[in-house]
Amino acid sequence: MVPSVSIGLALCVLIFFALSLKPLEARGTFGRLAGKPPQRTASGGICASSVHIYGYKCEEHDVVTQDGYILNMQRIPEGRTGTGAGDGGKRQPVLIQHGILVDGMSWLLNPADQNLPLILADQGFDVWMGNTRGTRFSRRHKYLDPSQRAFWNWSWDELVSYDLPAMFDHIHGLTGQKIHYLGHSLGTLIGFASFSEKGLVDKVRSAAMLSPVAYLSHMTTVIGNIAAKSFLAEATSILGWAEFNPKSGLVGGFIKAICLKAGIDCYDLLSVITGKNCCLNASTIDLFLANEPQSTSTKNMIHLAQTVRDKELRKYNYGSSDHNIKYYGQAIPPAYNISAIPHDLPLFFSYGGLDSLADVKDVEFLLDQFKYHDIDKINVQFVKDYAHADFIMGVTAKDVVYNQVATFFKRQA
């Protein structure tokens, strides 16, 4: 059970700050962009706003999960010139999966020659971008509406069980090929969990994991640690907020409360959360803040907080032995066994020395789970100066990381 004293304290703190922090609204929870007109938003769809403008073909696809969520995906079927396909002219598909509190547009904020999806398309791949449930273009369901609590009754377990399989099935059905997978942050976590349960291994060709996240016990982001250890997500749920939307409402007040409690200047909240990124362009940060963060479920945030506190990778803990037995048939939620990932699956890891979320110690512990992996099937890159966001928006990422990823994928043909 979650300690009632901790939840009670969190509730008192959050309600107090949510009611008393109005003067900070002018600056905005996420800092510098407040009051500035956005340069580019994805209101017309990610293809129209962020791919077509660079002269690339792009298709919008909708995919329905087995539990009824309608997920939006983008496909960039070829490079700008339409040339460069490998494998006898048949382009190998790549699925790119974003992290927590963002969507697929987070890969498309720099100039075209610095954006990973476009770089891979130019190098001959059939590029797909996923958008998990709850993000702006995946707020749809066959029967439920985002205004209903039931719409938000999921954690990253459901991304593993439903979202990734739906995306993989859709791509595989259209292309008839195995898929290269590339994840960042939460995108790596759901990839690890899925591959460990053998659900997608018959459809995956290889996997590249940037800022890999599975174990979070050494996470150095102060705001994340306070949020997890103060049971703030649980308190949010008790107050009735099934949707965790950092941009508005009580959640924004919670974030301000954490900043004040920790004595942190959260004007540049991106750096506070991710670590001191070395290589971000100021205009890219402004564009990021115009479009992100995205909503997720409060239950998902609770699950991530459990991972931080419990120092284990398990399915969602329902808070009591009785409830866990009801859902899992056992008192403790089942563990995800990362070492069960097939030892012959080609893997590429890239992690940063300044990352506050994917801390070096946690990544090294993760890598230790692969000590029996086929040695010629695993590639590890350490980038000393990179933090969490450098891997998706860094101006040097093409030369430092993305070209290495493309070379790795091509070797698996």
Side-chain angles (χ1 to χ4, degrees):
M1 288 288 287
V2 171
S4 59
V5 173
S6 296
I7 287 189
L9 178 60
L11 283 168
C12 292
V13 171
L14 297 179
I15 292 172
F16 172 78
F17 278 107
L19 295 174
S20 64
L21 290 178
K22 294 295 183 183
L24 294 180
E25 291 294 341
R27 190 173 67 176
T29 302
F30 283 83
R32 34 199 265 185
L33 194 73
K36 291 178 64 176
Q39 297 168 295
R40 168 164 55 93
T41 62
S43 56
I46 292 176
C47 280
S49 70
S50 303
V51 182
H52 290 155
I53 60 172
Y54 295 123
Y56 290 77
K57 294 180 181 179
C58 187
E59 306 164 3
E60 298 280 357
H61 289 245
D62 286 339
V63 179
V64 182
T65 67
Q66 285 192 354
D67 58 346
Y69 288 84
I70 304 171
L71 310 179
N72 180 234
M73 300 182 70
Q74 288 73 42
R75 182 187 194 182
I76 307 171
E78 61 186 35
R80 184 152 43 187
T81 63
T83 60
D87 196 20
K90 198 172 186 181
R91 292 172 174 267
Q92 297 175 21
V94 178
L95 172 60
I96 302 177
Q97 187 55 52
H98 61 77
I100 187 73
L101 299 177
V102 296
D103 65 0
M105 190 173 172
S106 61
W107 298 104
L108 295 162
L109 301 176
N110 280 324
D113 62 352
Q114 297 174 7
N115 290 333
L116 175 60
L118 306 184
I119 290 168
L120 291 177
D122 283 336
Q123 295 220 24
F125 294 98
D126 177 7
V127 179
W128 295 75
M129 292 182 293
N131 299 279
T132 55
R133 61 184 67 191
T135 54
R136 70 185 124 181
F137 297 117
S138 297
R139 294 173 64 92
R140 293 174 292 161
H141 192 277
K142 291 172 65 176
Y143 314 113
L144 300 172
D145 186 87
S147 63
Q148 299 173 281
R149 286 184 60 87
F151 181 92
W152 300 99
N153 185 25
W154 50 268
S155 78
W156 57 262
D157 284 335
E158 281 67 34
L159 307 186
V160 172
S161 300
Y162 298 113
D163 285 24
L164 273 191
M167 295 179 197
F168 266 76
D169 287 347
H170 184 73
I171 297 170
H172 188 265
L174 288 176
T175 67
Q177 297 188 70
K178 287 190 172 185
I179 300 155
H180 297 291
Y181 181 78
L182 187 147
H184 175 258
S185 190
L186 182 67
T188 70
L189 173 58
I190 61 177
F192 290 134
S194 180
F195 303 150
S196 74
E197 298 204 321
K198 308 296 198 304
L200 300 176
V201 294
D202 60 330
K203 296 184 179 73
V204 64
R205 188 188 297 256
S206 70
M209 305 304 205
L210 311 184
S211 292
V213 169
Y215 304 98
L216 297 168
S217 59
H218 292 93
M219 184 174 67
T220 56
T221 172
V222 176
I223 192 170
N225 270 313
I226 292 176
K229 294 174 182 177
S230 298
F231 297 91
L232 294 184
E234 285 87 342
T236 307
S237 178
I238 289 173
L239 289 173
W241 271 262
E243 176 182 0
F244 191 94
N245 179 2
K247 281 186 174 179
S248 63
L250 194 59
V251 174
F254 291 0
I255 293 171
K256 296 169 191 171
I258 298 170
C259 292
L260 289 181
K261 179 177 179 180
I264 299 171
D265 180 3
C266 285
Y267 186 66
D268 183 8
L269 195 58
L270 182 63
S271 293
V272 170
I273 294 174
T274 65
K276 189 170 179 58
N277 298 283
C278 72
C279 305
L280 304 188
N281 186 306
S283 61
T284 300
I285 295 174
D286 284 346
L287 187 54
F288 174 85
L289 295 174
N291 288 276
E292 316 290 354
Q294 299 289 313
S295 289
T296 187
S297 71
T298 298
K299 185 176 180 180
N300 191 31
M301 298 302 289
I302 293 173
H303 195 179
L304 290 169
Q306 290 172 353
T307 305
V308 175
R309 293 193 302 261
D310 300 341
K311 303 180 181 181
E312 293 180 308
L313 195 63
R314 293 185 177 275
K315 293 182 183 290
Y316 183 82
N317 190 331
Y318 284 90
S320 72
S321 297
D322 290 344
H323 283 95
N324 287 331
I325 290 171
K326 175 183 176 182
Y327 286 98
Y328 305 122
Q330 58 189 67
I332 299 174
Y336 288 101
N337 182 11
I338 299 298
S339 61
I341 292 175
H343 294 176
D344 60 349
L345 176 65
L347 295 172
F348 176 91
F349 295 87
S350 186
Y351 65 109
L354 300 179
D355 196 327
S356 293
L357 291 172
D359 183 80
V360 170
K361 291 180 181 178
D362 286 328
V363 176
E364 289 175 346
F365 182 78
L366 168 64
L367 291 173
D368 191 55
Q369 310 308 303
F370 295 91
K371 58 189 173 186
Y372 299 117
H373 210 78
D374 291 357
I375 193 167
D376 61 336
K377 297 293 186 180
I378 193 165
N379 298 260
V380 179
Q381 178 190 44
F382 175 66
V383 187
K384 180 180 178 181
D385 297 330
Y386 265 30
H388 208 67
D390 287 312
F391 289 93
I392 53 173
M393 299 186 291
V395 296
T396 62
K398 176 181 179 179
D399 294 329
V400 175
V401 180
Y402 300 163
N403 286 339
Q404 282 67 30
V405 169
T407 299
F408 166 75
F409 284 156
K410 289 175 182 179
R411 287 204 307 265
Q412 317 311 322

